[in-house]
Amino acid sequence: MKTVYITRRETFNAAHKLYNENWSEEKNEEVFGKCANANWHGHNFSIWVTVKGIPHPDTGFVMNLKDLSEIIKQYVVEPLDHRNLNLDVPFLKGILPSTENIAIELWDIMAGPIQEKGGELAKIKLVETENNFVEYYGGKEPF
Ligand code: NI
């Protein structure tokens, strides 16, 4: 099977803090350091959404990247850009907004719409800083 993986990147910026309400301030400080800063901090995130499939004979496309871009903008950039991830985003309510947890939620939100456009979500890579990123494959082993 000539499966091909295609990826679209979009960017957004957002604020958050990492803080476990069940812990003391000291423990939060010890585990999360500056990320627990009470008055928030921000990141320029980039999200890389990978879809897999076999190129369609009529188009040569696995999926139209314009459709993928629009899905990411609608389901990720629109709700998250310039927001506070702890306070402003309904689907992140009650979730500690680590990069890992955000990636999991974004998978659950985008998998359906991507499928409706003929693609199969294969991977979400969420880049928080130049040096830190997470990759999520829908809870499965990658390959
Ligand atoms: Ni952070």
Side-chain angles (χ1 to χ4, degrees):
M1 293 263 267
K2 294 187 165 58
T3 301
V4 180
Y5 292 75
I6 62 167
T7 299
R8 174 74 192 183
R9 182 193 75 139
E10 301 290 344
T11 60
F12 60 95
N13 56 67
H16 73 166
K17 71 175 172 183
L18 300 182
Y19 194 87
N20 187 325
E21 302 286 348
N22 299 318
W23 293 348
S24 66
E25 208 155 305
E26 292 71 30
K27 173 121 190 210
N28 272 289
E29 174 71 24
E30 183 194 322
V31 173
F32 295 125
K34 280 183 180 174
C35 294
N37 177 39
N39 289 327
W40 324 102
H41 67 276
H43 296 285
N44 293 315
F45 289 94
S46 63
I47 180 166
W48 304 66
V49 178
T50 301
V51 171
K52 72 173 175 181
I54 297 164
H56 192 279
D58 294 339
T59 59
F61 292 163
V62 167
M63 176 183 177
N64 193 319
L65 280 167
K66 191 168 171 282
D67 289 338
L68 184 55
S69 169
E70 280 166 8
I71 288 168
I72 303 168
K73 283 180 181 146
Q74 179 180 346
Y75 292 93
V76 179
V77 176
E78 197 56 39
L80 301 188
D81 191 36
H82 287 68
R83 303 300 165 99
N84 180 316
L85 302 179
N86 295 78
L87 301 178
D88 295 338
V89 183
F91 64 79
L92 293 177
K93 275 276 147 62
I95 290 169
L96 202 163
S98 64
T99 312
E100 291 89 328
N101 284 341
I102 298 165
I104 291 170
E105 296 306 314
L106 295 181
W107 177 288
D108 292 344
I109 278 168
M110 281 193 294
I114 288 170
Q115 201 165 28
E116 279 169 27
K117 291 288 183 181
E120 184 185 344
L121 183 55
K123 168 178 161 178
I124 287 177
K125 173 174 154 185
L126 188 57
V127 180
E128 188 188 51
T129 72
E130 212 178 326
N131 297 320
N132 296 342
F133 63 87
V134 310
E135 293 172 300
Y136 183 58
Y137 298 85
K140 302 185 287 280
E141 292 300 320
F143 295 104

